[in-house]
Amino acid sequence: MTSAESRADRFARELSDLKISDPAAGHPRLWQRLGAAAMVAGIAAGVVAYLVSHRTTSSLTQGDAVTIGLGGVTLSVVGAAVFLRYSLTGFLRFWMARQSFELNMLAERVFSPGMLAKSDGRLDADTTRGLSRTDS
Amino acid sequence: MSRPLLELPLLELRGVRAAYDSVTVLHGVDLSVTAGQVVALLGPNGAGKTTTLRIAAGVHPVQSGRLLLAGRDMARAAPRDLARAGVCLIPEGRGVFPNLSIRDNLLMMTYTGRSREQIEELTFTRFPVLGMHASRPAGTLSGGEQQMLALARGLATDPAVLLLDELSMGLAPVVVSRLYEHVAEIARQGVAVLLVEQFAAAALSIADHAAVLVRGRVALQGHPDGALRAELSDLYLGSSR
């Protein structure tokens, strides 16, 4: 059972080598919600600042409103970034897997032994038709 | 002093509780599988068998208790980390891509780092029938052949722990027994196999150990000998004594 031993040993070693990321520590859903909340809060702060600045003639209060408005815009931009980061990650991961699979399929088709044998190792015109050149 | 590795279970659940929202479905499940061992997890519908497998694969969170892999607590690990280390779940329903050919289904497994040639050689040696229809879409294969393809895809990951969910679902008994011969062969190569089944007879024919799950609790476990089979029949059909 040497092979069993080696696979089991390797399994244990690979587990101990893993830097296990704690899914609970990342809280992706919480970050996504916080991002959305920050985005909404930022817009709300901007609207409030606008209303405050229009209901007063005091330049000091208007200065405060400008600060609140800028803070709101910043909060909104940061919130949008966080929201996009955590909402798009999952989608992009699958998209990349699909892309990589399709590229592999294309490579398999182009460099299949039959194709290469037919052209003595070089790609013929039929094979390369439709493929754009990427070198100069 | 630490125990030698082969005595140490590759997969162990200790007092595992799990829930779907507020409904607790597992109430402290204890189970272990060592390298080269086949453990059959039996039980009626809704007993929590599939949830147990999903927990072992890291797909379902553990509410409390421990999920140990080679003695290391992995209850908090992400499924992709467990898959990368060698835990492979073959879900109920086979999980093959029906519109892709057998060859393309296998090609998908090259993400593991193995080449297409290696995977095809491994698969077509073990399952020659798949080699004969390599260009056919997987959806046109018989149920047994699709299950072979699912097994082949699982084996392409070089698993240390193989989790099989309802391998026999919708298959003729003769096909099931042939598939289980393959599973026994896989275990002989040192893979720890945990298989979930509703149909006890098929699973017990190759199991080294069996556990019966009833309403989220292990009601019975032991070597699948005559005594266990009799108790199992009592549990399923009611006591005859």
Side-chain angles (χ1 to χ4, degrees), chain A residues 12-88:
Chain A
R13 182 173 45 75
E14 283 170 359
L15 286 171
S16 60
D17 287 350
L18 272 180
K19 257 180 80 180
I20 296 298
S21 57
D22 181 351
H27 296 301
R29 192 165 289 176
L30 178 67
W31 279 109
Q32 195 178 331
R33 284 179 185 164
L34 277 177
M39 202 163 40
V40 172
I43 293 168
V47 171
V48 168
Y50 174 80
L51 294 174
V52 168
S53 70
H54 270 262
R55 284 178 187 174
T56 181
T57 52
S58 160
S59 58
L60 282 176
T61 311
Q62 285 176 340
D64 288 346
V66 168
T67 310
I68 292 171
L70 285 175
V73 169
T74 310
L75 190 63
S76 194
V77 169
V78 171
V82 170
F83 178 77
L84 283 176
R85 155 74 178 78
Y86 285 97
S87 60
L88 284 182

Side-chain angles (χ1 to χ4, degrees), chain A residues 48-129:
Chain A
V48 168
Y50 174 80
L51 294 174
V52 168
S53 70
H54 270 262
R55 284 178 187 174
T56 181
T57 52
S58 160
S59 58
L60 282 176
T61 311
Q62 285 176 340
D64 288 346
V66 168
T67 310
I68 292 171
L70 285 175
V73 169
T74 310
L75 190 63
S76 194
V77 169
V78 171
V82 170
F83 178 77
L84 283 176
R85 155 74 178 78
Y86 285 97
S87 60
L88 284 182
T89 308
F91 169 77
L92 287 178
R93 195 172 289 145
F94 287 111
W95 177 78
M96 275 189 68
R98 180 73 206 172
Q99 280 290 102
S100 121
F101 169 68
E102 281 177 355
L103 276 173
N104 266 344
M105 282 227 319
L106 183 67
E108 285 282 326
R109 211 176 304 136
V110 171
F111 298 108
S112 65
M115 289 283 193
L116 291 175
K118 206 169 65 174
S119 59
D120 192 21
R122 282 168 302 186
L123 299 174
D124 58 18
D126 281 350
T127 314
T128 53
R129 189 173 299 138

Side-chain angles (χ1 to χ4, degrees), chain B residues 61-237:
Chain B
V62 175
Q63 202 176 40
S64 66
R66 302 179 79 191
L67 164 65
L68 300 167
L69 291 172
R72 207 166 160 220
D73 196 337
M74 292 283 165
R76 289 283 185 196
R80 62 175 175 274
D81 289 327
L82 299 188
R84 207 178 296 142
V87 177
C88 173
L89 169 66
I90 298 181
E92 188 181 333
R94 294 145 202 170
V96 298
F97 296 93
N99 53 338
L100 297 183
S101 67
I102 291 177
R103 191 160 268 139
D104 288 346
N105 265 280
L106 295 172
L107 180 64
M108 294 285 273
M109 306 313 289
T110 51
Y111 78 89
T112 56
R114 287 184 167 189
S115 71
R116 182 177 61 84
E117 288 76 18
Q118 280 177 314
I119 292 174
E120 285 187 2
E121 191 191 331
L122 186 87
T123 301
F124 299 154
T125 309
R126 191 183 290 276
F127 306 110
V129 68
L130 296 182
M132 280 154 37
H133 308 299
S135 302
R136 266 176 61 182
T140 64
L141 299 174
S142 69
E145 288 165 347
Q146 285 188 28
Q147 197 61 273
M148 281 179 200
L149 180 57
L151 262 179
R153 281 165 49 82
L155 291 178
T157 64
D158 188 20
V161 177
L162 186 61
L163 309 166
L164 298 169
D165 197 0
E166 303 282 5
L167 199 68
S168 67
M169 181 70 83
L171 300 179
V174 63
V175 179
V176 174
S177 69
R178 218 174 299 145
L179 280 170
Y180 274 122
E181 281 168 24
H182 286 296
V183 174
E185 173 61 29
I186 292 163
R188 276 196 289 276
Q189 289 167 3
V191 178
V193 180
L194 176 60
L195 58 94
V196 152
E197 264 298 346
Q198 269 195 66
F199 302 106
L204 291 180
S205 65
I206 61 155
D208 302 303
H209 187 89
V212 185
L213 209 56
V214 180
R215 289 185 196 148
R217 288 185 175 84
V218 177
L220 188 68
Q221 66 175 315
H223 188 268
D225 53 12
L228 186 120
R229 282 169 199 252
E231 284 188 70
L232 192 63
S233 136
D234 283 352
L235 211 61
Y236 268 84
L237 305 171

